[in-house]
Amino acid sequence: MPDEPTRTDLPVPDYDHLPVGSLGHRIRSLEAEDLDVLRRYEEAHANRPAVLQILDHRLLDLAEGQRPSGGDPTAPAAEQAPPPAAGSAVSPQTAGPAQNPPSHGVPTNPAQPRG
């Protein structure tokens, strides 16, 4: 058996953190060799039956003549948030007015006079 693949060998970035439900979509563009790398990695690490089933099903599809679809498995996907555009837009100049907490339950709150 070939050497066990490492995380850096995987054709899908951040594979370990992908939701199982999106894995089938992310592997559609992979060739059988890349799927085999994922399968060996999965067996050696998490060994999740649902993931192995998805990989086996796709390998069977390719063996039966289906072709990989177009696309890039390394492209950002919906399960990943886009990087932030810049720093926070909140500053002392854009903050709202100071607020006093409600007085009920706090007898020492000076916000409401006691009668």
Side-chain angles (χ1 to χ4, degrees):
M1 180 176 213
D3 290 334
E4 180 181 302
T6 63
R7 182 177 291 178
T8 58
D9 298 328
L10 301 179
V12 178
D14 210 18
Y15 168 80
D16 291 328
H17 302 286
L18 286 177
V20 174
S22 69
L23 182 62
H25 300 290
R26 296 299 296 257
I27 64 171
R28 287 183 306 191
S29 62
L30 298 178
E31 298 284 343
E33 297 81 23
D34 289 332
L35 290 169
D36 183 56
V37 169
L38 285 177
R39 191 177 198 302
R40 287 186 294 121
Y41 180 84
E42 182 65 30
E43 283 180 324
H45 292 87
N47 203 24
R48 299 169 287 181
V51 172
L52 292 172
Q53 183 179 12
I54 291 169
L55 294 171
D56 288 343
H57 184 74
R58 185 62 185 149
L59 282 165
L60 180 63
D61 288 345
L62 292 175
E64 291 176 347
Q66 286 189 13
R67 299 175 64 188
S69 66
D72 180 6
T74 63
E79 65 267 356
Q80 295 176 328
S88 174
V90 177
S91 70
Q93 293 77 24
T94 60
Q99 296 182 1
N100 288 327
S103 63
H104 52 279
V106 185
T108 59
N109 187 345
Q112 287 189 343
R114 302 279 176 220

